[in-house]
Amino acid sequence: MSGAFGRACLEQGIVEARLRDTELLVISAVSESRGHRIVEAEEIAEVEARLDASGLAYRIQQPIGATPAEELLSAMAEPEAEMLVIGMRRRTQVGKLLLGSTSQYLLVACRKPVLVVKPGEENQRPDPVSAADLVDRSPQAGDAIEP
């Protein structure tokens, strides 16, 4: 949940839950065998504050033990699950061969839509931009428009 990838996933999850008028489930899966760390209480509080400000119904889960991919696929097997939002780091071919790729596995194994996000400038600031700021901002004179 922390870092630019976590913020990007959270912000896009908020956007998607609003579009679908649904509850948002935030999962921070921890695999003891892979050395993933448990999210600190302060980080959870920041995520809760952001979700409270969004006005959405939400749940946060931090399962420990199974692999993150297993936890996410299990959540996506629930009938109410509509879309999986994940972040994917760019890795070398050798890194993919040696370490595998949870994101690649989820893309292949998940039977529901998977949205892969990457951090943008708004997710690299200490305070994440609200989804309303992203949607409501119209181009101004002098703004560069990318193709």
Side-chain angles (χ1 to χ4, degrees):
M1 283 190 246
S2 65
F5 284 92
R7 284 191 297 274
C9 287
L10 179 64
E11 293 303 321
Q12 191 61 46
I14 290 170
V15 169
E16 297 300 328
R18 280 190 178 136
L19 288 172
R20 289 167 174 72
D21 192 29
T22 188
E23 178 183 62
L24 178 61
L25 173 60
V26 177
I27 299 176
S28 176
V30 179
S31 173
E32 293 173 339
S33 64
R34 291 192 169 188
H36 294 136
R37 68 179 183 84
I38 296 174
V39 177
E40 300 293 330
E42 304 85 48
E43 293 176 272
I44 295 287
E46 289 175 20
V47 170
E48 287 177 332
R50 175 64 187 106
L51 290 167
D52 288 341
S54 76
L56 292 170
Y58 68 89
R59 291 181 292 136
I60 298 176
Q61 294 179 359
Q62 189 169 211
I64 299 173
T67 67
E70 289 170 352
E71 292 294 342
L72 294 170
L73 290 174
S74 176
M76 291 306 297
E78 296 298 320
E80 66 274 8
E82 295 180 29
M83 175 183 282
L84 176 61
V85 179
I86 60 172
M88 185 183 314
R89 290 181 170 83
R90 184 177 182 137
R91 296 168 62 185
T92 66
Q93 292 298 324
V94 173
K96 290 176 190 174
L97 177 65
L98 295 176
L99 302 174
S101 171
T102 300
S103 300
Q104 284 180 317
Y105 176 72
L106 289 169
L107 285 168
V108 172
C110 187
R111 296 184 179 266
K112 295 184 181 171
V114 178
L115 177 61
V116 180
V117 297
K118 63 181 181 176
E121 289 180 22
E122 68 276 2
N123 299 114
Q124 295 179 11
R125 289 186 248 169
D127 299 319
V129 173
S130 74
D133 292 340
L134 296 174
V135 173
D136 294 338
R137 186 180 180 276
S138 52
Q140 303 296 319
D143 281 355
I145 298 176
E146 294 182 26

